[in-house]
Amino acid sequence: MNNNNLTVEQFNQLIQQWSGKNIKITKQELGDKDTIIMKLDDISYHNDTRRIDDYESLHSIHLIGEGTTETGPQTAQPLPTSSYKIPLEDTTRYQFDDIRFSLVNERGTYTIELSG
């Protein structure tokens, strides 16, 4: 896989082009793996200055849309909210290989790709 490193601005410009499309998000964080399928309606960025502890990220991207999370083989549950939050750190690496985005930071790896 040939990953091209992006700035956050380049990442935002490219991911905005996927608005209105179905995406698959794979999260590998703290030994846990989740898969989410959603119709991406919008993208927003948030700063949380009222954090309770350091586990909560200061910055995050919210992928907004209706979707499901895989809970087991051939089973899925609706997302509890119409937004999926990915924590962003100052050290987050944004990568794109022409078919998928990868956001890599100390918390984990988040892969976003188009879903058939």
Side-chain angles (χ1 to χ4, degrees):
M1 181 188 313
N2 182 19
N3 282 335
N4 295 315
N5 289 316
L6 304 172
T7 65
V8 67
E9 292 84 5
Q10 291 169 321
F11 165 76
N12 182 57
Q13 193 173 46
L14 289 169
I15 194 76
Q16 291 288 343
Q17 295 174 19
W18 286 10
S19 188
K21 298 184 178 175
N22 290 325
I23 61 169
K24 175 180 171 182
I25 307 160
T26 305
K27 173 190 85 165
Q28 293 181 339
E29 180 181 271
L30 303 173
D32 184 36
K33 182 177 178 181
D34 295 327
T35 301
I36 291 87
I37 304 292
M38 76 175 345
K39 180 178 182 288
L40 183 62
D41 293 328
D42 200 7
I43 300 151
S44 65
Y45 294 86
H46 296 265
N47 293 320
D48 187 1
T49 57
R50 297 177 288 139
R51 298 180 303 163
I52 296 172
D53 57 35
D54 286 340
Y55 182 75
E56 287 293 319
S57 178
L58 180 60
H59 308 286
S60 60
I61 181 174
H62 293 241
L63 303 174
I64 301 165
E66 299 298 319
T68 59
T69 181
E70 291 182 4
T71 55
Q74 305 296 321
T75 59
Q77 296 290 324
L79 288 175
T81 65
S82 61
S83 174
Y84 185 78
K85 176 180 172 181
I86 297 176
L88 301 176
E89 308 290 339
D90 291 338
T91 59
T92 298
R93 289 189 328 261
Y94 303 88
Q95 301 172 326
F96 186 59
D97 68 359
D98 295 326
I99 59 171
R100 76 182 57 84
F101 294 97
S102 294
L103 283 69
V104 181
N105 59 39
E106 294 166 4
R107 292 176 184 264
T109 300
Y110 308 85
T111 304
I112 307 165
E113 58 192 312
L114 293 174
S115 175

